[in-house]
């Protein structure tokens, strides 16, 4: 059906010409000019407007020939057509018949990868999560490879089988994503105690080259029987056992992780290991250097630490600017936030060796800028620390409690 077609009603006498459409309702105009809304399934086409127009053109053309107005030969009349001619018997259902599905611009389209700030440093983890954490001896476990970086990771994961190795998974891991490797039970652990993860990183645009990693993993099966092995984390909603393979471009040196093959010519990997050994001293030096710069910039007496209150074995630090600075004259909002975060980092460094120590940072509600900045630091720089909102009864809704681990 299309506008101009003559139709008649199936459930009533009469009919008219289609004047328009409103969804599944057809507007039928009768001979008096009134438009009658009628469901499409209650009318039937009796004359096709396109056919009528074609017949009219044929009649007009024949009249011209009969009256001698058209001097063209029969061949010329058959091979030429008016630009206004319309083919006969063209139905509205055939409108889309000539559309090629391959012309759809959405086919093959790939959205650009969303990169996060700080994600150009490679961080890769191997994680294990229990399906039912309350029944570790009978539940199923899932193993994941976690890519916390802006790089694509092409990886392979294999387990040792006697003197040989059996491939368990191979594929590509997208930036800032995690990938399920396999589902297993406690009974399967004996076949997974010695694993190997190999991977290299790349981007689909110019990028800084990262060394190819070849890491052997020795898993302690006893850990899967202990509830306190699985901790809250930023990658999963449930507690997980997470092993660090590479973090911030540095290979993790742990008893359970060791190189599969030590290549003396692999200077890049060797350099990463050396840098990791001296990481703590570098962090201390960097923090002190940054503190000196801030103190010199704002003429702040930084040697006097931020006021710390001991309450029920908890350290309380107020990060409000008026508590940290004698004056904020000449400082922008960004400058003040930068100094508050510096105090936050120095406090964590001060207590990093006291495991289990709880520190409460009061940042206030306000617009939440300082709180969001602190949460960002915890999620990306201090992932091994747990945190939660402090008691609102004691500190209102503007404090965060951090536990050193």
């Amino acid at each position: 059906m299309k506008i101009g077609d003559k139709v008649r009603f199936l459930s009533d006498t009469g009919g008219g010409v289609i004047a328009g459409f409103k969804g599944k309702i057809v507007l039928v105009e009768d001979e008096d000019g009134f438009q009658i809304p009628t469901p499409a399934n209650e009318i039937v086409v009796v004359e096709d407007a396109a056919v009528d127009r074609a017949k009219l053109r044929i009649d007009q053309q024949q009249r011209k020939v009969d009256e001698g107005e058209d001097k063209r030969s029969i061949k010329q009349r058959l091979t030429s057509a008016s630009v206004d001619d319309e083919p006969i018997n063209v139905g509205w259902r055939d409108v889309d018949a000539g559309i090629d599905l391959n012309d759809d611009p959405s086919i093959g389209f790939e959205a650009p990868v969303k990169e996060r700030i700080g994600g150009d440093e490679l961080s890769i983890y191997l994680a294990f999560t229990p399906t039912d954490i309350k029944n570790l001896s009978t539940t199923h476990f899932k193993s994941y490879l976690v890519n916390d970086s802006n790089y694509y990771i092409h990886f392979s994961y294999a387990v040792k089988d006697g003197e040989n190795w059996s491939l368990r998974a191979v594929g590509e891991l997208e930036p800032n994503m995690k990938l399920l490797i396999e589902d297993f039970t406690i009974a399967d652990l004996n076949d997974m105690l010695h694993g190997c993860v190999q991977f290299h990183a790349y981007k689909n645009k110019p990028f800084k080259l990262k060394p190819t990693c070849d890491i052997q993993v020795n898993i302690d099966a006893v850990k899967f029987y202990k509830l306190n092995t699985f901790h809250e984390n930023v990658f999963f909603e449930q507690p997980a056992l997470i092993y660090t393979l590479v973090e911030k471009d540095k290979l993790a040196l742990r008893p359970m992780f060791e190189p599969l093959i030590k290549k003396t010519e692999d200077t890049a990997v060797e350099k990463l290991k050396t840098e990791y050994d001296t990481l703590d001293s570098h962090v201390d030096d960097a923090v002190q250097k940054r503190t000196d710069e801030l103190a010199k910039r704002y003429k702040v007496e930084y040697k006097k630490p931020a006021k710390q209150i001991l309450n029920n074995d908890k350290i309380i630090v107020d990060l409000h600017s008026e508590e940290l600075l004698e004056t904020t004259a000449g400082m922008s909002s960004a400058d003040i936030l930068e100094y508050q975060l510096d105090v936050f980092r120095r406090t964590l460094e001060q207590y990093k060796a006291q495991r289990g120590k709880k520190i409460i940072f009061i940042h206030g509600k306000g617009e939440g800028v300082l709180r969001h900045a602190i949460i960002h630091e915890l999620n990306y720089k201090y992932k091994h620390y747990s945190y939660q909102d402090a008691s609102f009864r004691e500190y209102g809704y503007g404090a965060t409690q951090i536990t050193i681990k």
Side-chain angles (χ1 to χ4, degrees):
M1 297 181 189
K2 55 185 176 293
I3 295 176
D5 286 351
K6 291 183 179 181
V7 297
R8 65 179 177 83
F9 303 122
L10 293 176
S11 59
D12 198 358
T13 58
V17 179
I18 295 179
F21 298 90
K22 287 187 177 181
K24 295 183 179 180
I25 301 298
V26 181
L27 301 178
V28 180
E29 184 175 318
D30 62 12
E31 58 186 8
D32 296 325
F34 293 101
Q35 293 185 359
I36 306 172
T38 309
N41 58 357
E42 293 186 8
I43 60 175
V44 61
V45 176
V46 294
E47 290 186 23
D48 191 310
V51 175
D52 290 344
R53 289 196 298 272
K55 288 181 179 179
L56 178 61
R57 285 195 297 272
I58 292 174
D59 293 341
Q60 291 174 345
Q61 189 66 34
Q62 185 62 41
R63 182 181 57 78
K64 291 181 180 179
V65 173
D66 294 340
E67 295 178 359
E69 296 180 8
D70 192 345
K71 305 296 183 181
R72 295 176 299 172
S73 65
I74 295 177
K75 182 178 180 180
Q76 288 176 327
R77 290 199 297 270
L78 291 175
T79 56
S80 63
S82 172
V83 294
D84 296 328
D85 285 350
E86 187 174 325
I88 302 176
N89 295 329
V90 176
W92 63 273
R93 294 182 178 85
D94 300 326
V95 172
D96 297 332
I99 296 178
D100 186 357
L101 293 179
N102 292 327
D103 293 337
D104 188 347
S106 65
I107 297 177
F109 172 77
E110 292 185 6
V113 175
K114 292 184 179 180
E115 297 190 346
R116 62 175 179 80
I117 298 175
D120 284 340
E121 293 181 324
L122 201 61
S123 294
I124 309 297
Y125 307 89
L126 183 64
F128 300 92
T129 62
T131 302
D132 183 2
I133 196 170
K134 295 181 180 180
N135 298 288
L136 294 178
S137 59
T138 58
T139 188
H140 280 244
F141 295 85
K142 296 181 184 298
S143 59
Y144 293 85
L145 195 62
V146 180
N147 178 14
D148 190 24
S149 73
N150 294 334
Y151 282 77
Y152 285 90
I153 300 296
H154 193 81
F155 74 94
S156 67
Y157 173 65
V159 295
K160 194 170 185 179
D161 184 9
E163 297 299 323
N164 299 314
W165 294 84
S166 297
L167 185 66
R168 302 296 280 266
V170 64
E172 182 182 74
L173 184 51
E174 296 183 4
N176 300 298
M177 297 288 285
K178 58 178 180 285
L179 182 68
L180 174 65
I181 296 178
E182 60 182 337
D183 184 295
F184 63 94
T185 64
I186 289 288
D188 301 321
L189 272 176
N190 288 334
D191 299 327
M192 302 171 53
L193 298 180
H194 305 286
C196 178
V197 181
Q198 299 173 315
F199 58 86
H200 66 272
Y202 64 93
K203 291 186 179 183
N204 292 328
K205 62 179 183 179
F207 61 93
K208 291 184 179 180
L209 190 64
K210 307 291 184 181
T212 299
C213 293
D214 186 353
I215 303 171
Q216 183 172 335
V217 184
N218 296 322
I219 297 175
D220 184 1
V222 177
K223 290 181 177 293
F224 288 80
Y225 291 91
K226 298 180 179 180
L227 184 62
N228 60 3
T229 294
F230 302 91
H231 300 285
E232 298 293 332
N233 58 89
V234 297
F235 301 122
F236 301 91
E237 293 182 358
Q238 70 269 38
L241 171 60
I242 300 181
Y243 293 151
T244 302
L245 300 178
V246 175
E247 189 168 59
K248 296 184 179 180
D249 281 345
K250 296 175 174 59
L251 289 176
L253 299 182
R254 299 286 190 272
M256 64 189 70
F257 292 90
E258 54 188 35
L260 178 63
I261 301 175
K262 186 175 181 179
K263 302 176 182 179
T264 56
E265 69 274 16
D266 193 350
T267 56
V269 175
E270 201 67 33
K271 182 180 179 181
L272 288 178
K273 294 179 182 179
T274 303
E275 292 177 353
Y276 186 88
D277 290 337
T278 58
L279 176 62
D280 288 342
S281 61
H282 287 341
V283 169
D284 292 339
D285 293 343
V287 170
Q288 186 60 42
K289 181 179 179 181
R290 184 59 181 159
T291 302
D292 292 342
E293 291 175 355
L294 288 171
K296 182 177 179 180
R297 180 177 178 180
Y298 305 123
K299 299 180 180 180
V300 176
E301 182 56 45
Y302 72 90
K303 292 184 179 179
K304 182 179 180 181
K307 185 177 180 180
Q308 298 180 1
I309 302 174
L310 182 62
N311 184 14
N312 294 329
D313 294 329
K314 296 179 182 178
I315 302 298
I316 303 173
V317 180
D318 194 336
L319 293 179
H320 284 94
S321 59
E322 59 268 22
E323 297 294 332
L324 300 177
L325 300 165
E326 293 182 0
T327 177
T328 58
M331 298 177 67
S332 65
S333 298
D335 294 333
I336 296 173
L337 176 62
E338 187 178 21
Y339 190 81
Q340 289 171 316
L341 289 177
D342 181 71
V343 173
F344 168 78
R345 298 185 192 107
R346 283 192 285 119
T347 304
L348 291 184
E349 287 295 319
Q350 179 182 351
Y351 293 99
K352 66 179 181 180
Q354 300 184 29
R355 295 192 174 184
K357 174 67 72 177
K358 291 180 172 56
I359 307 174
I360 296 175
F361 290 96
I362 300 176
H363 43 69
K365 290 182 63 177
E367 296 180 358
V369 176
L370 178 56
R371 180 182 184 277
H372 285 301
I374 288 175
I375 298 302
H376 180 80
E377 293 275 319
L378 290 169
N379 286 339
Y380 292 97
K381 293 185 179 180
Y382 304 97
K383 293 180 179 179
H384 52 294
Y385 293 169
S386 62
Y387 67 90
Q388 65 186 56
D389 289 336
S391 172
F392 70 92
R393 292 183 179 179
E394 296 183 51
Y395 310 101
Y397 291 95
T400 299
Q401 176 177 297
I402 300 171
T403 303
I404 305 296
K405 293 188 176 180

